[in-house]
């Protein structure tokens, strides 16, 4: 009886052995949407928004990022981070202000918009399998926004304080494996309110992985082509009572090399 039992334990251990895939990647991230900035220097409340074109926000090319997937049995933990910058020159369509400066519509401006996004998502396979899989889970997102708009002629700057959000996420993971090609999709999202701040975040990450060496789930090297779509809505006040509203989409392709252990 000991031999069959030992064999069963060894088989179970081998089936549940953890695997790690690390994906350094780089790609483009293009903004679309509108932003409104309002403070005491411009009156109370946000009256109108400026499009990303009016603010001069542009596509960030070559955005670096890192993703790691740790799988163990039916569990999969994904950790990911990237930082993008979208500054540029534009002409305001509507007035913006903070607690000291007000810039009217028609002002030529130099804008900065920096965004960092980190995520940790843990899912459990509801439909495990070698060919198809589907999982649900939870996670956390940490994202920070830093916005500044400067009058090109006077040098005056509307500069609300940078803001950092920590939000829970609901996650959905899906995948299909067809020979050497592996297609994966991961969606994390949430609508939440905290201390009178409102935010909505939905992040979809889809990629195709072409295996070059080894096999997925173990030691491997694979070429990855992917696409990321981030839908972000925020409405918050900083410590100086400046109000920031943003309704933005960021999207773009990326390429990377997945290395498995």
């Amino acid at each position: 009886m000991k031999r069959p039992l030992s064999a069963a334990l060894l088989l179970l251990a081998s089936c549940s052995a953890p695997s790690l895939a690390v994906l350094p990647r780089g790609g483009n991230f293009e903004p679309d949407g509108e932003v409104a900035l309002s403070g005491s220097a411009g009156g109370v409340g946000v009256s109108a928004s400026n499009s990303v074109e009016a603010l001069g926000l542009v596509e960030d090319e070559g955005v670096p990022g890192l993703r790691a997937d740790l799988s163990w049995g039916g569990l999969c933990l994904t950790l990911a981070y990237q930082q993008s910058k979208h500054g540029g020159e534009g002409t305001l369509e509507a007035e913006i202000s903070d607690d000291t400066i007000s810039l009217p519509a028609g002002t030529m401006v130099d804008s900065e918009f920096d965004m960092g996004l980190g995520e940790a998502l843990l899912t459990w396979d509801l439909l495990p399998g070698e060919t198809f899989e589907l999982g649900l889970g939870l996670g956390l997102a940490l994202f920070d926004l830093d916005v500044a708009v400067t009058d090109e002629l006077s040098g005056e700057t509307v500069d609300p304080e940078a803001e950092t959000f920590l939000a829970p996420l609901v996650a959905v993971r899906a995948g299909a494996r067809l020979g050497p090609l592996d297609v994966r999709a991961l969606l994390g999202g949430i609508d939440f309110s905290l201390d009178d701040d409102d935010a909505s975040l939905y992040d979809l990450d889809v990629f195709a992985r072409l295996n070059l060496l080894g096999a997925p789930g173990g030691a491997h090297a694979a070429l990855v082509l992917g696409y990321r779509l981030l839908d972000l809505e925020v409405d918050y006040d900083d410590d100086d009572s400046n109000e920031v509203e943003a309704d933005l989409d960021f999207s773009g392709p990326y390429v990377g090399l997945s290395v498995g252990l």
Side-chain angles (χ1 to χ4, degrees):
M1 293 295 292
K2 290 184 178 181
R3 289 184 179 178
L5 179 58
S6 299
L9 290 176
L10 288 174
L11 179 61
L12 180 62
S14 65
C15 290
S16 60
S19 64
L20 174 64
V22 179
L23 173 60
R25 55 190 177 183
N28 296 352
F29 221 35
E30 183 175 8
D32 186 30
E34 54 190 27
V35 178
L37 307 173
S38 181
S40 57
V44 179
V46 173
S47 57
S49 299
N50 284 276
S51 66
V52 296
E53 292 81 9
L55 291 171
L57 304 186
V58 297
E59 181 180 26
D60 189 354
E61 299 179 349
V63 177
L66 182 65
R67 170 172 164 167
D69 293 275
L70 176 63
S71 301
W72 193 350
L75 286 174
C76 186
L77 173 65
T78 296
L79 303 175
Y81 184 79
Q82 75 176 38
Q83 181 87 30
S84 59
K85 300 177 180 293
H86 304 277
E89 298 179 347
T91 302
L92 294 182
E93 299 167 328
E95 178 188 10
I96 63 171
S97 63
D98 58 15
D99 58 329
T100 58
I101 303 298
S102 179
L103 303 180
T107 302
M108 293 184 294
V109 295
D110 185 3
S111 300
E112 297 179 8
F113 190 102
D114 299 344
M115 181 178 66
L117 175 61
E119 293 176 327
L121 303 172
L122 180 65
T123 60
W124 176 265
D125 285 344
L126 297 178
L127 180 63
E130 291 295 325
T131 304
F132 300 100
E133 64 179 57
L134 176 66
L136 296 177
L138 300 172
L140 287 174
L142 178 68
F143 62 97
D144 57 79
L145 300 177
D146 191 3
V147 186
V149 182
T150 301
D151 185 332
E152 290 186 346
L153 297 179
S154 69
E156 294 181 319
T157 300
V158 172
D159 188 12
E161 292 183 358
E163 189 78 2
T164 299
F165 295 90
L166 179 64
L169 296 176
V170 175
V172 180
R173 183 188 307 272
R177 185 176 301 166
L178 304 172
L181 187 64
D182 194 19
V183 180
R184 301 281 158 175
L186 180 62
L187 172 65
I190 196 68
D191 295 326
F192 74 97
S193 297
L194 180 64
D195 297 331
D196 296 325
D197 295 338
D198 299 316
S200 170
L201 171 68
Y202 290 90
D203 183 15
L204 176 63
D205 185 0
V206 180
F207 67 76
R209 180 169 54 193
L210 179 62
N211 204 57
L212 303 175
L213 296 171
H220 73 271
L223 176 66
V224 173
L225 297 176
Y227 193 86
R228 196 167 186 185
L229 173 61
L230 175 67
D231 181 85
L232 175 67
E233 295 183 33
V234 294
D235 182 357
Y236 66 89
D237 295 340
D238 67 12
D239 292 338
D240 294 323
S241 298
N242 299 308
E243 185 176 1
V244 178
E245 288 187 9
D247 184 357
L248 297 168
D249 293 327
F250 297 85
S251 61
Y254 64 83
V255 62
L257 180 65
S258 176
V259 178
L261 304 174

